């Protein structure tokens, strides 16, 4: 009745809060900022080899695209090739996941790997304060993208002992502000970081020539130095030491997204950048009179896949080129023996003559830049100085490595101090390999070796100290991880057990009348758990733990109290086992466990979903339904087999092919017209007009998609009409279904037509056919469930087309849970996973093709583009949800019952993924399991919200139904 519905609403709200806590916990456990503050900068006691450094970052440039020669043997980047062979060093820089621009640049310039919380602030702001090479420099001059440069001009609270005087900055503003470019003179401390950015509208994937982004940078740099020659204030500042020039070149990345890395546009852009670098070197050398005090570094923030995306861990995304030359740089050594590599990707990276190749991490470049110009290594850097690139004395190398070791050791000391202060002394376990005495011994011994001239031994000792300090940093950074994970796991297990108890209590007929003995035992149990909770709070207070720790550690206490409070249910179930067929129960249990494992495996191996769909095709034959509904059985089997093809198709790496979209659009229009012709008598006037309008809208969307891609291929940009139609279609998709009839089938059809139009606009290939195949299966599922209920004498075939879902609820027709409902819930979860992974792997960033949003916008905007891509992912999910709601209505089962079973299945999957996360696994393995956990938890939270809204509406309809019944009585 109404009271039960209100109780269930309270239950689902509590469940929603619990799942939100579980969802957030994964970020507190595995994604916390590694940064600490309070370290002292480490200065080199010796003069640096360079006065200034020029950093070129070719955004999105793959290592093989630069180093590997053409098929005919010609070199793509002739100038950089000559630098490598004659006067510089080269190597491969290995970036970390996620291979995106922001974390890539932070690693290069700040020397550390940014935590995932940075994504919440986008590409333009710092979510946490951090030091960088620019911040430590005397001046940093930057040209490039408005999405990258501002984040290095907003450091705070880092006090340095240099910086131009205010009058000098006024003079700079007067001179540079008149150049007609966007100038931002803001500072990491003291306004010494100067950024020049072009308008964001220039970052257009539909641009006729994206290389103009790089041309703009080169042109502005030349204009800057020409104007400096005419201004003595600027001239004197530019001749100061410890100056960094940063040229961010975005054209290659933009052309890669728009045309793919193997395209002529991408490869030609590499040649343009190579020519530009050569020109810039001439400009710098001429301006500084060839004084031999300029160092140059050319690299990239990340690579790109063959299909024009990045973000994951493929070698084409993580391997980037590194070329260093100029003041203080060692010339690459020639080798006369072939080099061996761990993988085939590096084989043939560089043709004869054979030059030694070095492999480095992206964070190692920041210490190299700092050492070359003599500024302190960024305080938060975890990079290790690549000594092979330095052309200097062993004394200088030893002092540089010593400064690098002390700089990382300072972070370790601060981290250890923080953890020691927030942990009770008898619970604190220090990092045994680097205690206070061992730290002092390492530092003292290294300094003594340098003083007596045993530099090579000092370098080895410093490198060993760096290795231990980095391990210690990771140790203290993950110090609380095990206990937090255990607490969350305990709470999650308790919650799942509680949901199972609720199902047993409400549907298994195990309702126990309360007794005085139960009240006494419940009171005692409550006292025990209150005592445990107070003890937990006391320990957390003594350790000054953050507020979230109270939630994570107290939640299991509360959950398990309610589980043990209802523990008599387990006792009754155990007592009732002897009355049940043991073999049948055991068989169901094994089948259920196997089904959950199948769902989990589908996240890792999409082909498993194909096997699952083929198994589902046999369901009518196993259940005997085929005898009553032969035509519907044929439709069910064909739809299952049709949908089973999609998981076998490639998720990524496909080229856009609008022919599939044409086919999907034409097929949708054809089937819609057939339905309109066959059921024109059943459709009322308003429904008929709305349906015809939606059919025309789908046809228009098909044309707009093909027209847009044709226009972009011809480099004529995104037509305004197409853009307006696309956004209007997206907006109308949320409104048009509400105008349709409240008859269940008509509303489902209207929702499908609205969603298909938007999905076509977001499609680039075969995935355009996916909603049609999925909808076919969903309509077949609804009909088959109707047949299932019909065999049990509880429904008839005409209910689906005639049922008005706005009518009041007749409580006498709401039935209890049955064993067959577990199968329905499992089908629903399986179809949800099919909806998510049918055409790609949404857990991987590089599964998304930026071309999918070109009908809506082509100018780079990560949040709008990400939102559109997320809606594309959710459209199949919505289709499955609508079908599931229809089945609940048609089978006369309270929605709470099926949602409870779905909740158990999804929670078991989330627990599985949570347990798969291992600290000793690779970061890629950890990230994969976490992303799958986040997907399942997001799905569960969405279902909880939907369930709450459904129960609120149900309660209202029950009240109305009772009032009407009382009125007639």
């Amino acid at each position: 009745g109404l009271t039960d519905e209100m109780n269930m609403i309270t239950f689902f709200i509590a469940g929603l809060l619990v799942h939100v806590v579980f969802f957030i916990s994964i970020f507190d456990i595995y994604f916390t900022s590694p940064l600490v503050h309070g370290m002292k900068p480490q200065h080199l006691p010796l003069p640096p080899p360079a006065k200034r450094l020029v950093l070129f970052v070719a955004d999105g440039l793959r290592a093989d695209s630069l180093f590997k020669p053409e098929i005919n043997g010609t070199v793509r980047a002739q100038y950089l090739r000559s630098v490598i062979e004659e006067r510089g060093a080269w190597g491969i820089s290995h970036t970390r996941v996620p291979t995106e621009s922001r974390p890539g640049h932070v690693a290069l310039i700040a020397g550390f790997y940014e935590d995932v919380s940075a994504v919440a602030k986008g590409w333009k702001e710092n979510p946490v304060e951090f030091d960088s090479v620019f911040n430590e420099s005397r001046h940093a001059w930057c040209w490039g993208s408005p999405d990258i440069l501002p984040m290095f001009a907003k450091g705070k609270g880092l006090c340095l002992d240099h910086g131009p005087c205010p009058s000098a900055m006024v003079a700079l503003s007067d001179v540079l502000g008149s150049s007609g470019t966007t100038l931002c003179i803001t500072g990491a401390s003291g306004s010494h970081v100067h950024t020049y950015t072009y308008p964001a509208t220039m970052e257009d994937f539909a641009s006729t020539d994206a290389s103009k982004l790089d041309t703009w940078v080169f042109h502005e740099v030349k204009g800057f130095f020409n104007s400096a020659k005419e201004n003595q204030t600027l001239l004197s500042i530019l001749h100061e030491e410890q100056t960094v020039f940063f040229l961010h070149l975005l054209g290659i990345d933009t052309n890669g997204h728009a045309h793919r890395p193997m395209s002529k546009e991408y490869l030609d852009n590499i040649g343009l950048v190579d020519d530009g670098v050569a020109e810039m070197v001439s400009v710098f050398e001429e301006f500084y009179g060839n004084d031999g005090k300029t160092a140059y570094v050319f690299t990239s923030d990340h690579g790109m896949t063959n299909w024009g995306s990045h973000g994951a861990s493929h070698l084409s995304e993580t391997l980037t080129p590194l070329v260093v030359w100029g003041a203080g740089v060692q010339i690459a050594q020639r080798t006369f023996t072939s080099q061996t590599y761990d993988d085939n990707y590096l084989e043939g990276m560089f043709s004869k003559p054979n030059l030694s190749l070095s492999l480095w991490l992206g964070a190692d470049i920041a210490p190299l830049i700092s050492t070359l110009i003599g500024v302190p290594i960024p305080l938060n850097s975890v990079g290790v100085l690549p000594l092979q690139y330095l052309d200097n004395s062993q004394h200088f190398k030893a002092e540089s490595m010593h400064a690098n070791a002390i700089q990382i050791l300072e972070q370790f000391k601060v981290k250890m101090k923080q953890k020691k202060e927030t942990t009770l002394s008898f619970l604190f376990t220090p990092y045994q390999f680097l205690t206070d005495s061992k730290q002092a011994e390492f530092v003292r011994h290294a300094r003594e070796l340098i003083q007596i001239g045993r530099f090579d031994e000092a370098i080895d000792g410093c490198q060993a100290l760096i290795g231990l300090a980095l391990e210690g940093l990771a140790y203290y950074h993950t110090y609380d991880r095990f206990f937090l994970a255990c607490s969350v796991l305990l709470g999650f297990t308790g919650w799942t057990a509680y949901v199972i108890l609720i199902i047993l209590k409400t549907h298994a007929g195990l309702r126990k009348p309360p007794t005085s003995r139960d009240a006494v035992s419940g009171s005692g149990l409550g006292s025990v758990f209150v005592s445990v909770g107070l003890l937990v709070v006391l320990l957390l207070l003594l350790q000054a733990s953050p507020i979230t720790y109270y939630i994570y550690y107290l939640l299991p206490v509360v959950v398990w109290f309610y589980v043990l409070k209802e523990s008599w249910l387990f006792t009754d179930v155990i007592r009732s086992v002897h009355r049940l067929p043991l073999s049948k129960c055991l068989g169901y249990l094994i089948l259920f466990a196997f089904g959950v494992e199948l769902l989990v495996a589908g996240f890792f191996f999409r082909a498993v979903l194909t096997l699952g769909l083929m198994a589902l095709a046999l369901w009518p034959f196993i259940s005997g339904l085929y005898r009553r509904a032969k035509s519907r059985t044929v439709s069910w089997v064909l739809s299952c087999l049709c949908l089973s093809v999609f998981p076998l198709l490639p998720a990524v790496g496909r080229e856009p092919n609008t022919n599939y979209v044409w086919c999907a659009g034409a097929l949708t229009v054809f089937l819609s017209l057939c339905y309109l012709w066959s059921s024109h008598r059943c459709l009322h006037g308003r429904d008929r007009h709305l349906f015809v309008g939606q059919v025309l809208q789908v046809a228009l969307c098909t044309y707009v998609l093909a027209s847009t891609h044709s226009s972009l291929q011809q480099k004529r940009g995104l037509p305004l009409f197409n853009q307006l139609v696309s956004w209007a279609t997206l907006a109308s998709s949320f409104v048009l279904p509400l105008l349709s009839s409240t008859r269940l089938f008509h509303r489902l059809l209207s929702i499908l037509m609205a969603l298909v139009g938007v999905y076509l606009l977001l499609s680039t290939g075969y995935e355009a056919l996916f909603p049609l195949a999925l909808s076919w299966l969903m309509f077949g599922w609804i009909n088959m469930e109707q047949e299932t209920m019909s065999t049990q004498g509880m429904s008839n075939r005409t209910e689906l087309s005639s049922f008005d879902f706005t009518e009041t609820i007749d409580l006498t027709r709401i039935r209890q849970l049955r064993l067959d409902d577990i199968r329905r819930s499992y089908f629903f979860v399986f179809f949800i996973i099919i909806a998510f992974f049918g055409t790609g792997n949404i857990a991987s960033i590089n599964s998304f093709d930026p071309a999918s949003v070109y009908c809506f916008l082509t100018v780079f905007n990560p949040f709008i583009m990400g939102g559109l891509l997320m809606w594309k992912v959710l459209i199949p999910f919505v289709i499955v949800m609508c079908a599931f709601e229809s089945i609940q209505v048609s089978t006369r089962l309270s929605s709470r019952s099926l949602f409870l079973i779905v909740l158990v299945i999804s929670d078991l999957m989330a627990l599985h993924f949570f347990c798969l996360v291992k600290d000793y696994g690779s970061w890629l393995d950890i990230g994969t399991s976490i992303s799958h956990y986040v997907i399942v938890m997001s799905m569960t939270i969405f279902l909880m919200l939907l369930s709450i809204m459904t129960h609120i509406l149900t309660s209202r309809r029950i009240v109305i139904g009772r009032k009407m019944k009382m009125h007639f009585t």
Side-chain angles (χ1 to χ4, degrees), residues 367-417:
L368 175 63
I369 295 174
S370 300
T371 302
L372 287 173
I373 60 176
V375 300
I377 296 174
L379 299 177
N380 307 114
S381 172
V382 294
V384 181
L385 176 65
L387 289 178
Q388 291 90 327
Y389 288 162
L390 295 182
D391 183 16
N392 215 311
S393 64
Q394 289 299 104
H395 185 195
F396 181 84
K397 293 181 180 180
E399 289 286 2
S400 301
M401 187 57 70
H402 181 265
N404 192 183
I406 299 299
Q407 169 261 326
I408 295 179
L409 184 62
E410 284 286 320
Q411 296 182 72
F412 171 82
K413 290 180 178 180
V414 172
K415 198 79 172 180
M416 181 179 68
K417 181 182 177 182

Side-chain angles (χ1 to χ4, degrees), residues 931-968:
S931 62
H932 291 158
Y933 174 83
V934 169
I935 290 171
V936 175
M937 290 303 297
S938 301
M939 178 188 74
T940 306
I941 290 173
F942 185 82
L943 290 174
M944 298 286 282
L945 286 170
L946 185 62
S947 181
I948 292 172
M949 291 187 292
T950 302
H951 278 79
I952 291 175
L953 294 175
T954 301
S955 301
R956 182 185 176 191
R957 288 158 63 191
I958 289 175
V959 170
I960 294 174
R962 284 185 171 178
K963 288 182 178 179
M964 293 179 63
K965 186 174 182 179
M966 291 174 61
H967 174 74
F968 287 117

Side-chain angles (χ1 to χ4, degrees), residues 177-428:
S178 61
S179 63
T181 62
T182 303
L183 171 63
C184 173
I185 303 183
T186 56
S189 60
S191 297
H192 68 278
V193 179
H194 321 292
T195 62
Y196 300 79
T197 61
Y198 40 72
T201 54
M202 289 182 64
E203 299 178 9
D204 191 347
F205 293 121
S207 172
T208 56
D209 183 15
S211 62
K212 66 183 179 183
L213 300 175
D214 302 334
T215 305
W216 183 95
V217 171
F218 297 139
H219 179 268
E220 290 299 316
V221 173
K222 288 191 294 183
F224 170 79
F225 281 104
N226 288 333
S227 63
K229 295 176 182 178
E230 307 297 328
N231 183 274
Q232 289 301 318
T233 303
L234 178 58
L235 190 64
S236 62
I237 292 176
L238 289 175
H239 278 82
E240 293 180 1
E241 297 180 353
Q242 299 180 342
T243 301
V244 177
F245 300 93
F246 173 42
L247 281 68
H248 177 240
L249 309 171
L250 188 61
I252 293 176
D253 183 75
T254 306
N255 270 318
H257 286 307
H259 306 289
R260 307 296 186 264
M262 301 304 174
S263 65
K264 181 178 183 297
E265 290 83 358
Y266 183 90
L267 299 178
D268 287 348
N269 204 153
I270 295 176
L272 182 145
V273 167
D274 182 68
D275 295 337
V277 170
E279 184 181 12
M280 290 299 99
V281 171
S282 299
V283 169
F284 279 99
E285 294 299 328
E286 186 269 334
F287 183 83
Y288 289 106
N290 296 298
D291 63 353
K293 292 295 183 179
T294 306
Y296 302 90
V297 175
F298 179 91
T299 187
S300 177
D301 56 342
H302 58 75
M304 187 172 290
T305 61
N306 291 340
W307 49 93
S309 65
H310 53 81
S313 60
H314 191 271
L315 290 176
S316 61
E317 301 167 83
T318 59
L319 297 184
T320 58
L322 176 62
V323 183
V324 189
W325 72 101
V329 177
Q330 177 72 48
I331 298 176
Q333 301 298 312
R334 296 183 181 273
T335 61
F336 300 96
T337 58
S338 59
Q339 293 177 271
T340 58
Y341 308 100
D342 295 334
D343 53 74
N344 296 327
Y345 190 82
L346 291 173
E347 293 291 343
M349 184 71 75
F350 202 76
S351 61
K352 302 287 184 179
N354 200 9
L355 300 173
S356 59
L357 169 65
S358 301
L359 301 176
W360 302 102
L361 296 176
D364 297 339
I365 296 176
L368 175 63
I369 295 174
S370 300
T371 302
L372 287 173
I373 60 176
V375 300
I377 296 174
L379 299 177
N380 307 114
S381 172
V382 294
V384 181
L385 176 65
L387 289 178
Q388 291 90 327
Y389 288 162
L390 295 182
D391 183 16
N392 215 311
S393 64
Q394 289 299 104
H395 185 195
F396 181 84
K397 293 181 180 180
E399 289 286 2
S400 301
M401 187 57 70
H402 181 265
N404 192 183
I406 299 299
Q407 169 261 326
I408 295 179
L409 184 62
E410 284 286 320
Q411 296 182 72
F412 171 82
K413 290 180 178 180
V414 172
K415 198 79 172 180
M416 181 179 68
K417 181 182 177 182
Q418 290 179 352
K419 188 53 59 183
K420 194 171 184 179
E421 290 175 349
T422 58
T423 306
L424 296 177
S425 57
F426 65 90
L427 295 177
F428 180 71

